[in-house]
Amino acid sequence: MAHFVQAQNTPQGPFDIVILRLPKGHALLRDQIQRMLPQLAPGALIIMPVMVKHIDNSVYQLLESLLGPLTTSLARKKARLIFAIRSAVGLGPHPKAEETRWDLPSLGLSLQHYSGVFSRTKLDPGAQVLLDQFPKGPYHQVIDLGCGNGVQAIVAAKKWPQCKVIGVDESYMSVASASINAANNGVGAQCEFRANDCLADFVPQSADLILCNPPFHQERVIGDQIAMRMFAESAQLLTKEGELWVVGNRHLGYHAKLKRWFKRVEQVGAHPKFVVLKAQL
């Protein structure tokens, strides 16, 4: 029987075999391994499948520093397996996920982040541009799509105390961080955060504002397919007079791409690197 554990929680061992998919970020990799090791039985086998092009010296050295000697399989179809054996005896403590904290004085916010959350040590420049050009409102049902640490959702909740704000992200680490941040900044009761497959299962025509700082990469995959799905599903979710506000790098050409789903697209903010766009049905 399979048991699923959210990413910010630590599975309860002992485990004899672990299959570990290596994340791109070193901080998240270190956090996952440090929480995993105390839950391994003596002699436990750790198997790490990885594409050959994604293993460089820094990743290999990090794995060796945490796991000890490593062995590898022969490469097959540009991938190989990395093996490690847990030699320590007995289970250790049950450590929590690593957290970082930093303040955003300009907005009077204090933010907390788990490893793997985008922009976990400072405000993302794109988010800053959107916050500088924030909608005027008022709004009643707001969605922060790809909410990350929840900063946009928190600002929306503070600006429009009467509104309901829902933050959505595919990352459980992000959703957990955003929930803590909303509570710590006094808007926990007004905000809800969901780990979700984009806007699947949301009620159509139920939001009058969607805020979106779409990713153009997910782990090692780069492209605009995630943003395109966000735009398409946002068009289904907005009310007739609803608005989608998007911030993105200038070179991504979101202005033209949004017109596939929205009749009215205008630039409402500019920056040497970013643009803020408002799209309406």
Side-chain angles (χ1 to χ4, degrees), residues 7-276:
Q8 75 275 13
N9 297 328
T10 303
Q12 184 68 55
F15 301 109
D16 297 307
I17 299 178
V18 172
I19 300 175
L20 176 64
R21 181 182 178 183
L22 304 184
K24 180 181 178 181
H26 287 199
L28 179 57
L29 176 58
R30 181 185 296 276
D31 178 33
Q32 289 179 342
I33 291 177
Q34 288 176 334
R35 287 191 287 140
M36 173 189 71
L37 287 177
Q39 306 307 315
L40 299 183
L45 175 64
I46 305 158
I47 305 171
M48 294 162 279
V50 63
M51 299 301 292
V52 172
K53 65 181 180 180
H54 295 154
I55 284 291
D56 56 25
N57 287 337
S58 63
V59 175
Y60 202 88
Q61 289 169 4
L62 175 59
L63 291 173
E64 281 192 320
S65 70
L66 296 169
L67 299 172
L70 306 174
T71 58
T72 62
S73 71
L74 296 175
R76 182 178 179 183
K77 294 184 178 180
K78 301 181 181 180
R80 69 169 73 244
L81 300 176
I82 301 176
F83 304 99
I85 296 177
R86 177 63 162 161
S87 58
V89 177
L91 295 182
H94 197 64
K96 297 180 180 179
E98 179 183 301
E99 301 174 12
T100 58
R101 292 178 174 84
W102 51 277
D103 294 329
L104 192 55
S106 62
L107 295 174
L109 303 180
S110 178
L111 300 174
Q112 178 174 323
H113 294 67
Y114 289 114
S115 294
V117 178
F118 179 66
S119 195
R120 61 187 290 263
T121 59
K122 61 182 180 179
L123 186 63
D124 166 54
Q128 180 66 71
V129 173
L130 180 55
L131 291 171
D132 290 342
Q133 304 290 336
F134 217 61
K136 302 300 181 184
Y139 302 93
H140 300 284
Q141 185 80 5
V142 178
I143 293 176
D144 183 2
L145 180 54
C147 64
N149 61 25
V151 63
Q152 292 168 170
I154 293 168
V155 171
K158 285 181 173 291
K159 186 169 184 177
W160 307 301
Q162 81 289 349
C163 77
K164 174 67 176 179
V165 182
I166 301 176
V168 183
D169 204 289
E170 56 87 25
S171 164
Y172 282 92
M173 287 288 210
S174 293
V175 167
S177 297
S179 298
I180 293 170
N181 289 333
N184 289 346
N185 288 282
V187 292
Q190 196 179 340
C191 296
E192 174 190 347
F193 295 95
R194 305 178 188 176
N196 203 62
D197 181 18
C198 201
L199 293 173
D201 301 324
F202 277 72
V203 178
Q205 300 180 9
S206 60
D208 52 358
L209 175 65
I210 298 177
L211 303 167
C212 188
N213 181 4
F216 58 89
H217 61 82
Q218 187 176 42
E219 285 290 320
R220 296 181 174 90
V221 178
I222 298 175
D224 64 2
Q225 63 272 17
I226 298 174
M228 296 302 99
R229 183 180 175 192
M230 286 179 161
F231 301 161
E233 295 190 9
S234 293
Q236 297 296 318
L237 206 67
L238 285 172
T239 61
K240 184 178 179 180
E241 300 300 325
E243 301 170 0
L244 169 65
W245 285 58
V246 177
V247 62
N249 294 72
R250 284 181 174 275
H251 72 274
L252 295 174
Y254 286 157
H255 189 284
K257 294 171 182 177
L258 282 164
K259 291 182 179 179
R260 301 180 193 177
W261 302 282
F262 297 89
K263 293 180 180 179
R264 293 170 287 173
V265 180
E266 62 176 300
Q267 181 176 311
V268 293
H271 176 273
K273 186 177 179 181
F274 302 95
V275 292
V276 179

